[in-house]
Structure formats: structure tokens, C-alpha cells
Amino acid sequence: MRLSMEPLAQEGEWTAYRDDQTTGLVYYFNGRTGESLWEPPTSTFPPVVLDSASKERVISKQQEYVAATTIEQDQEESPKKGLFGLFAKRNDNAETKEAVQEEPKVESAAPQEKKGLFRMFRKNSEVIEDEGAVAVDGSSEVASARSTFAFPGLFNTAKEEDLIIPSDKPIQIEMSSNVLPHPEKMSWGGEDAAFTNGRTFGIFDGVSGAEKLDGVALYSTTLSKQMKQITGSDGLTIQELTGMLEEAADVADDKATGASTAVIASIGEDGYLRALNLGDSVVLVIRDGKIVARSKEIVHYFDCPYQLAEASPDRPKDGTKLKTQVMPGDIVLAGSDGIFDNLSEDDICKIVTASPNKAHLIAKKVVDESRSASLNLELETPYAKLAKKAKYPEYKSGRGGKVDDISCVVVRCT
């Protein structure tokens, strides 16, 4: 997408531009992370005001875009996803919270397992109804829902939905997943699960501390199987990802036990990666040995991520969203906290760069290095640094890995 390089408005790292080449819509870009959105990134983002001449150009570009999309759809037996997604049947107004890990407030002794948050809220959802909207960035402010941008008086049809407009030469992808159970769970496969299907993939990290029933399928594996069944081969929008994860969670609520975090993503035929993250797993984009885009974790407090479960208040709409353009040569990596607790992002970049340029070999190398780090009692790991701040006795030195299930999906873009 080519943007008008004249900033329309700015707040922090975010800048609003106008897409003068295709849709005519306003586009929000984060200059540090490379993240891009069709909607304002915060509820306080300054309103975009256009003069008369600019409004006329926007309307003209919209009309050209509608006409071009309509022609393309008329010429195809299987219609492409076009502008009509803007005005389609979905009426989602999902909240998006850009949450980062808060400064921990925990007792001196705490377990190394993730806490099953839903146990605190069991059958009390009416009491904690607003909990999912609490910003966990060290403040107690409630994160308000982001309304999708519309020009005042110009697009009164309200929401602008995410679009996938296939490019002439869609990004080609090679995907592979790798799951390595906790050493003590090898006999039954552990609690992590991963799937790949078409242009879509996901990681589901089972919550160790959640209560589970014997003989019942795990929540994480149920989510993974359901998502593989319903995602199809085409790229998906964030709205579609959210709806499908909600559908999968409904099935898991009825048929599975335990709890799970989730990060799911799709690389569209338009060259954009779209991701939805509920919990502390991560998806990132590596380009030329550096991270150019990264999803954001969302947690209630240290070692207690947002999670899906029958009695949990957290739902897919509460997850953080990422939309960013990918290019040939990029490596997209999604992983559970079994990777990111034990390897720094610099470590991951070095491993990816040094590995053979095959998705399955990269995934295996990242998983193997994560396991090696998790067993090293003297290594300074990301988890150990945070656990030291949280006053975990076994991490008072700020050293040592965290043994866990490890799951990874690698996508090589060509």
C-alpha cells in the first residue's frame, strides 16, 4: 500500500496517513513496530480533519475503488474478497487492548505454573464483568473500545471492515509447526497445541494451573482441532479470525477441560499478516535479521495471562490485534511462552538467521534452543528477570530457565 506521505495526525509513535493509491481510506502506522491499522490506535488519537479538496479526492478514490472491485468480482467465477467486506454482515465492535505486562504485585512465594485465572471467577462473571477491560500497563485505567474510524458526515454507514484485496502476485508461504512437551509430560503429549491450514496458523498454550478432568480432551488441543477444521485455505481478516476463535471456544467450552491462551494469525493474499492474541504467546516478523513487527501480550498480572475456558471472563474479542505488511524473505514466527520465557528476541533473531532457510528446520532449531535454555540454571532468561522482580525465591539470582511445553510455527515468505 502506498500512502500519502503527508501526516494527517499524530500521537506518540502512531501517525495517520491517507491511502491515495487504492482505497482512499485513512491508515494508521506505527513507525517503531511497523504495525498498521485501519482504525485509530487509541481512543485519544486526534481526529483527522480534511479540507474540501481532500474530501473530494477521497470520495473519488472510493468510487474508483468500488468500480474496480466490482469489475474484478464480475470477471471471477469465485469472487475475491473486496470492498463489500466494508459493509458486510459482521457487526463486530471488538475491544482492542494494547496491554503490556504490569509491574508485578505478588506474594513472596508463587508457583512457576500459570495460574488458572478462571478459578478465581468461577460462576461469578457478573461480578467481574469489567475485568477484561482493565489495562494492565501498571495503571488502573479502563481501556475503552476503539471505534472504527469514519470521516464525519462523509461515511455515515459507520464501520469500515478489514479488507483482503488480493494482489497480482500474492506472497507465497511455506509453513511448519513444532511442539515439544514438558519433559514430565512427554508420555501424553503435553498441553501445547499448534495448527497450520492454508494461509492461517495458531498456537494454543494450555494453562498448567487450570483444573482438569481426567479422560476429557484438553482445551488447547480442542481449540487447535476446531480452528484447523474451520479456517479454510484463504487468508482471513481479523474479524474472521475473531469470529472463528469464538466458535472454536464455544465448542471447547462444551467438550473440553482446562484453559488455554491463543495466538492465531493469517497471511492474506494482499500481503498483510493479521493476528489476534489472547494471552502471553507472541507472533513476530523478522526481516533481515531484525524484528519489524510484533504482537502484544495481554495479561492480568505476572504469570496469569488472559485465557479461554468455560468459566473464564476472557473472550477472543478481548485480544490484542496486529496487522502489518510482510515481504518476500520475511520470517513470521509464532510461539508459546516456552520460547519467549527462555530466549530473548535477539537470541531468536540470531537462531533464525543462522538456520537453513527452511521453515521446518527453523522451527525445530528455535524449539530445541528454547528447551536447552529452559534447563540452564545459570542463564539470564527473560522469565528469570521478571520472576526476580516478582520475588520468586527460586529466581532471586535473576538466572535460570523455565521448563515448559514449547510450541512454534514458522512461516517463510517468498
Side-chain angles (χ1 to χ4, degrees):
M1 176 176 294
R2 298 179 183 177
L3 307 175
S4 166
M5 296 311 295
E6 178 184 356
L8 301 177
Q10 189 169 12
E11 182 184 60
E13 298 167 347
W14 290 92
T15 304
Y17 297 98
R18 187 176 63 251
D19 171 20
D20 287 332
Q21 297 298 314
T22 52
T23 65
L25 299 178
V26 169
Y27 190 80
Y28 300 86
F29 181 75
N30 188 309
R32 182 180 67 84
T33 66
E35 184 178 358
S36 55
L37 300 170
W38 287 113
E39 58 185 19
T42 66
S43 60
T44 59
F45 195 92
V48 175
V49 179
L50 300 180
D51 57 29
S52 298
S54 296
K55 288 181 180 179
E56 290 177 4
R57 286 197 298 272
V58 167
I59 293 172
S60 175
K61 185 57 64 177
Q62 286 280 310
Q63 292 172 342
E64 291 174 7
Y65 181 61
V66 171
T69 305
T70 302
I71 291 172
E72 287 181 2
Q73 290 183 335
D74 289 342
Q75 291 176 343
E76 296 286 343
E77 292 182 5
S78 299
K80 298 179 181 179
K81 298 175 184 176
L83 176 69
F84 304 103
L86 282 171
F87 311 110
K89 53 192 174 185
R90 277 183 221 91
N91 290 313
D92 300 324
N93 191 20
E95 296 178 2
T96 304
K97 303 163 192 69
E98 297 181 344
V100 296
Q101 197 160 268
E102 69 174 333
E103 192 67 24
K105 300 175 182 177
V106 299
E107 292 84 4
S108 58
Q112 294 184 32
E113 293 183 332
K114 292 177 188 173
K115 301 178 178 65
L117 175 74
F118 63 93
R119 293 156 70 180
M120 296 163 30
F121 300 140
R122 188 174 298 280
K123 308 306 179 185
N124 284 325
S125 58
E126 70 279 7
V127 177
I128 48 78
E129 184 175 358
D130 291 331
E131 181 69 21
V134 175
V136 285
D137 57 358
S139 70
S140 59
E141 296 178 0
V142 175
S144 59
R146 296 178 189 166
S147 58
T148 305
F149 177 82
F151 292 115
L154 188 57
F155 302 123
N156 292 325
T157 48
K159 300 179 190 175
E160 295 165 4
E161 300 257 358
D162 195 9
L163 300 172
I164 296 181
I165 308 163
S167 66
D168 294 335
K169 295 182 179 180
I171 289 284
Q172 301 300 305
I173 58 175
E174 173 201 351
M175 288 198 291
S176 182
S177 63
N178 193 302
V179 177
L180 182 63
H182 188 292
E184 297 177 359
K185 305 174 184 177
M186 294 290 287
S187 62
W188 51 275
E191 298 188 58
D192 277 13
F195 84 95
T196 62
N197 189 30
R199 305 181 73 87
T200 304
F201 55 95
I203 295 285
F204 304 95
D205 184 359
V207 179
S208 300
E211 294 177 353
K212 303 174 188 71
L213 301 174
D214 291 338
V216 181
L218 289 174
Y219 205 99
S220 55
T221 56
T222 302
L223 286 177
S224 183
K225 290 177 181 178
Q226 285 299 120
M227 289 297 294
K228 189 173 181 67
Q229 288 177 9
I230 65 180
T231 46
S233 59
D234 295 337
L236 301 173
T237 66
I238 288 176
Q239 289 87 357
E240 289 170 327
L241 290 170
T242 305
M244 290 180 181
L245 184 57
E246 184 68 49
E247 180 181 338
D250 287 342
V251 173
D253 285 347
D254 292 336
K255 298 183 177 181
T257 187
S260 179
T261 68
V263 59
I264 55 176
S266 190
I267 298 178
E269 294 82 354
D270 58 354
Y272 279 84
L273 168 73
R274 295 165 173 84
L276 171 68
N277 186 31
L278 190 85
D280 54 2
S281 293
V282 174
V283 60
L284 49 79
V285 180
I286 298 173
R287 181 178 303 149
D288 298 327
K290 297 180 180 179
I291 294 173
V292 296
R294 183 189 192 280
S295 64
K296 296 181 180 179
E297 300 98 319
I298 179 169
V299 302
H300 290 279
Y301 51 89
F302 180 56
D303 252 359
C304 186
Y306 274 49
Q307 56 202 256
L308 297 170
E310 180 184 5
S312 170
D314 307 329
R315 300 309 291 174
K317 68 180 181 64
D318 300 317
T320 63
K321 284 83 172 175
L322 170 68
K323 179 180 177 183
T324 188
Q325 190 171 18
V326 292
M327 300 179 180
D330 286 355
I331 297 294
V332 179
L333 186 148
S336 65
D337 64 345
I339 293 174
F340 293 92
D341 280 346
N342 292 297
L343 298 177
S344 70
E345 293 183 354
D346 285 343
D347 292 335
I348 292 170
C349 288
K350 291 176 182 177
I351 294 168
V352 169
T353 302
S355 298
N357 199 22
K358 296 289 184 182
H360 72 282
L361 295 177
I362 297 172
K364 185 177 187 307
K365 186 65 173 177
V366 170
V367 167
D368 288 346
E369 291 294 330
S370 298
R371 173 53 50 82
S372 178
S374 75
L375 299 172
N376 189 332
L377 299 179
E378 297 302 320
L379 188 66
E380 291 186 0
T381 63
Y383 183 84
K385 293 176 182 178
L386 294 171
K388 179 181 180 180
K389 290 183 179 180
K391 303 187 185 307
Y392 284 22
E394 55 270 55
Y395 288 97
K396 61 182 179 181
S397 67
R399 295 176 180 271
K402 180 175 183 288
V403 183
D404 200 352
D405 299 307
I406 302 169
S407 51
C408 179
V409 172
V410 168
V411 185
R412 190 171 68 90
C413 301
T414 60

